[in-house]
Amino acid sequence: MGKIALIGAMDSEIAYYLSEMKGTRTESVYGFTFHHGNLWNTPVVVCKTGVGKVNAAICTQILVERFHVELIIFTGVAGALHPDLEIGDIVISSECQYHDMDASPVGFPKGTIPFQDTSIFPAEQKLIQLAVKAGKQIEGVKVLTGKVLSGDQFISNVDIVKSLYEELSGVCVEMEGAAVAHVAFLTGIPYVVIRSMSDRADHSAHVNFYEFEKLAAARSCEMVRFMLANL
């Protein structure tokens, strides 16, 4: 296995990786900082995309084209859409889709990218299975596999939550995963998105998000440790 990309949107989501890495060197490209080194005896590139779809897509393209990564794991927090999910539970992406792509006024179903063959980007099956096993090592949390929805919005409206779950079959909602998945799909790189539920994507979202951020990052780090050991 070649070099693996580990991505998070925020500093807190990559801090545990950086603290464990050996032989680290950094490189800046287009304002993004890429950390090269070894993590638990595995060559990795760790980077923070920043928030939002465009940041995530640019960062992923650099990882693929310049650093030739062979596998991408994105970890971070998300808002729960599936009614069975509680704060602290984990979602593994079966696929990703944009929820804010909406050309329905001209006849395209919501979430469909006009004139493009694919609007839903499947994750790598072997990575999904490995991530599920890793999640089940953590006591007291539920692990669900399903569609991760992404958009440049922080969702905190219960009516929107209901529509994203019912109309687009989303399990959780965040702001980067589908952009990473889109680039991975087009470039043929296996990927998986792992999201810890920081909130219920409702009116309490802003409170829960900040309380849960560090715990989610620690759990993600343990999951990735398991995955790298078992690839």
Side-chain angles (χ1 to χ4, degrees), residues 98-173:
Y98 302 116
H99 68 78
D100 59 353
M101 173 62 67
D102 188 0
S104 57
V106 289
F108 294 92
K110 187 176 179 181
T112 297
I113 303 170
F115 315 116
Q116 183 167 299
D117 290 340
T118 302
S119 299
I120 300 174
F121 310 106
E124 170 66 34
Q125 282 299 320
K126 290 181 180 178
L127 288 178
I128 295 169
Q129 294 166 7
L130 190 55
V132 169
K133 287 182 181 178
K136 288 183 176 177
Q137 306 299 308
I138 302 172
E139 291 186 8
V141 301
K142 186 184 289 97
V143 179
L144 283 186
T145 301
K147 184 191 288 183
V148 174
L149 295 178
S150 306
D152 288 326
Q153 302 165 6
F154 189 95
I155 303 299
S156 58
N157 180 293
V158 292
D159 293 328
I160 295 175
V161 168
K162 188 170 185 285
S163 69
L164 293 179
Y165 176 65
E166 293 179 353
E167 294 176 23
L168 292 179
S169 303
V171 174
C172 71
V173 62

Side-chain angles (χ1 to χ4, degrees), residues 45-108:
V45 184
V46 175
C47 62
K48 178 186 75 173
T49 64
V51 175
K53 298 180 302 185
V54 174
N55 280 329
I58 295 170
C59 191
T60 306
Q61 184 63 31
I62 294 168
L63 286 164
V64 173
E65 194 165 300
R66 182 173 294 212
F67 300 131
H68 309 292
V69 299
E70 295 186 10
L71 186 154
I72 297 167
I73 302 173
F74 192 110
T75 62
V77 295
L81 298 176
H82 195 291
D84 290 345
L85 286 169
E86 301 293 341
I87 294 170
D89 290 341
I90 293 166
V91 168
I92 311 299
S93 65
S94 57
E95 56 197 7
C96 294
Q97 183 179 13
Y98 302 116
H99 68 78
D100 59 353
M101 173 62 67
D102 188 0
S104 57
V106 289
F108 294 92

